[in-house]
Amino acid sequence: MVFLTIANLIRCRGPDEFWRKRKIFRLAAHYIGRRRNCYSVAVRNVHHALVYATKARRLKKQDMKDLWDTRISAACEQHNITAFSMREGLERSNILLDRKSLSDLAAWEPKTFQCLAAVASRKLHLDGFIDGTDQKAPTGKNLNLDNVILDDWLKEKK
Amino acid sequence: MSNSHLFMKSGFVRAPLQNGVGRYVPQLQRIVLKFCKTHGGSRGIRDFIEQDLVEFAKQNPSVVVYLKPRRHRSPVAVAEYLNGDRVWMSLHQKSHSEITKWIEVLRTQQGDVSATRLRKYQFTDHPSIQGPWTPFTFKDPELNVAQLPDPKFGANDRLPMTATDKLRIMFEKQKISEDNVKTGE
């Protein structure tokens, strides 16, 4: 058998080069200049963008955690307790709120956060836990926590 | 990658015009079912039309149902919504029960939900009950009538820990409390 068309195929490129490049150009549509028009420039930038996107998924979680930590420690500072003590006191009282919830409460429900800080410091006081940094009395001493049956609840084994 | 490259619009979790608060208005306007009368891939949709379609039409009087029997075409459902969205869904080789579930999905959605990237997974008109935090939330109200500069409000309460305090804390820490002592009893 004689294959005559093979001689013709020598000079034509792959049939789906257009669509292969279109996949890259769609991702580069919002770039500037040659980066969105020329394939060899675009493909480098698109690959970098994809790598940054992959790495940023973990960074976003870390950034949110840092933001929440900042907000919680700012709110704790206002109530004269350290973030570490607050965390310790809430854990010992079996109040297992995560950073997101605590920062939301600190921003949107400040009185609730004040009560939580008071509960945490009361629990640490009952446990005889001494943190080397707390000097001042907790705010909310006019919260009248004695009316709430707090000490009994805190003294239960958690 | 940021939002700028995405051709998908972003939005929040909302119901159109507070739908459901008063009356619930079904958001599906019309549904067009295109199928083949003979091809095997349309079997599920044919079963649906024969058995469940009239029931569906009776229960949803606000939805207009169109049937398009077309030879040698794969089965497709196109749903149009009150906000103008058009959802194209292939029903090729789907079983009767699957089609029933997908029709239910099309009936209860409020548009093309897969075309919107949710920025947050919750939405509330009232994020705060106690009032959001302001710098004045926990300040002494006497500040309002105080004549500044005032010695009471101007006092420094951010001094570093004195040596006496440090010694006191060290003493407290090394104290043996009765709980920690293990006795022979």
Side-chain angles (χ1 to χ4, degrees):
Chain A
M1 292 182 67
V2 188
F3 300 106
L4 293 171
T5 36
I6 288 182
N8 289 351
L9 289 174
I10 287 167
R11 279 204 230 157
C12 76
R13 293 176 162 190
D16 46 20
E17 174 194 342
F18 174 76
W19 288 280
R20 232 186 347 100
K21 293 190 174 182
R22 198 172 84 151
K23 269 200 317 191
I24 301 294
F25 283 127
R26 272 166 59 101
L27 294 172
H30 66 295
Y31 292 173
I32 191 171
R34 281 206 292 164
R35 275 188 267 189
R36 73 163 169 221
N37 291 325
C38 303
Y39 181 74
S40 18
V41 183
V43 76
R44 285 196 290 264
N45 285 277
V46 164
H47 285 168
H48 282 140
L50 292 170
V51 168
Y52 295 149
T54 311
K55 289 184 182 166
R57 271 178 237 134
R58 184 181 286 195
L59 288 177
K60 183 180 173 183
K61 296 171 181 59
Q62 284 175 7
D63 287 345
M64 293 305 284
K65 186 162 169 251
D66 290 338
L67 175 69
W68 293 332
D69 274 334
T70 311
R71 288 183 178 175
I72 290 168
S73 46
C76 286
E77 227 181 75
Q78 196 165 35
H79 299 302
N80 295 332
I81 188 173
T82 50
F84 173 74
S85 299
M86 169 103 175
R87 205 172 163 72
E88 183 68 31
L90 288 181
E91 267 185 34
R92 288 190 188 197
S93 321
N94 209 17
I95 298 171
L96 305 170
L97 288 168
D98 59 345
R99 287 182 169 87
K100 180 179 172 207
S101 309
L102 281 174
S103 75
D104 284 344
L105 286 174
W108 295 109
E109 323 286 352
K111 309 251 172 69
T112 307
F113 194 86
Q114 184 185 37
C115 293
L116 285 172
V119 165
S121 53
R122 185 92 192 114
K123 174 65 178 172
L124 293 177
H125 178 77
L126 288 173
D127 276 3
F129 179 87
I130 295 154
D131 178 18
T133 45
D134 284 341
Q135 298 167 267
K136 293 172 278 222
T139 59
K141 43 188 190 288
N142 47 349
L143 277 180
N144 222 340
L145 290 176
D146 297 328
N147 283 344
V148 183
I149 316 170
L150 191 65
D151 283 6
D152 298 331
W153 182 73
L154 284 177
K155 278 175 191 156
E156 280 170 40
K157 271 285 176 195
K158 300 271 179 211
Chain B
M1 277 150 136
S2 51
N3 184 43
S4 54
H5 77 290
L6 290 176
F7 301 112
M8 207 166 19
K9 297 211 170 57
S10 64
F12 294 94
V13 183
R14 304 304 301 272
L17 294 176
Q18 313 278 328
N19 201 16
V21 172
R23 158 184 297 228
Y24 170 66
V25 175
Q27 294 293 308
L28 181 62
Q29 204 176 9
R30 63 189 79 93
I31 186 160
V32 179
L33 299 172
K34 180 160 95 171
F35 62 102
C36 178
K37 283 184 183 171
T38 44
H39 197 75
S42 302
R43 179 160 64 124
I45 184 80
R46 268 182 271 131
D47 289 341
F48 176 82
I49 290 167
E50 280 159 21
Q51 296 168 31
D52 297 334
L53 187 70
V54 181
E55 187 75 30
F56 177 84
K58 277 190 193 150
Q59 279 171 356
N60 305 293
S62 58
V63 175
V64 186
V65 182
Y66 292 97
L67 290 178
K68 284 167 54 167
R70 300 282 186 270
R71 286 194 316 161
H72 315 310
R73 299 280 177 272
S74 57
V76 150
V78 176
E80 289 176 49
Y81 292 89
L82 291 175
N83 61 358
D85 286 346
R86 225 163 174 256
V87 173
W88 181 98
M89 178 175 281
S90 167
L91 302 172
H92 186 61
Q93 298 282 23
K94 287 194 163 65
S95 64
H96 180 183
S97 54
E98 280 177 21
I99 287 178
T100 313
K101 289 172 187 167
W102 278 115
I103 298 283
E104 185 64 20
V105 166
L106 291 175
R107 181 182 77 87
T108 46
Q109 34 179 50
Q110 64 188 40
D112 194 1
V113 284
S114 56
T116 317
R117 175 184 68 94
L118 290 177
R119 288 194 229 175
K120 292 186 192 182
Y121 293 127
Q122 301 106 16
F123 180 85
T124 170
D125 279 317
H126 312 283
S128 178
I129 307 289
Q130 298 166 359
W133 182 89
T134 64
F136 301 104
T137 313
F138 292 112
K139 284 224 157 49
D140 195 349
E142 278 194 18
L143 266 172
N144 289 328
V145 291
Q147 284 287 340
L148 298 174
D150 190 298
K152 185 176 84 157
F153 291 120
N156 186 355
D157 60 348
R158 287 183 173 203
L159 292 162
M161 218 182 333
T162 58
T164 319
D165 276 331
K166 284 190 189 162
L167 282 172
R168 187 182 60 78
I169 284 169
M170 279 165 66
F171 170 66
E172 301 268 334
K173 274 189 174 162
Q174 59 80 49
K175 264 205 293 199
I176 305 169
S177 68
E178 279 171 20
D179 309 331
N180 293 343
V181 170
K182 287 179 194 164
T183 59
E185 297 152 46

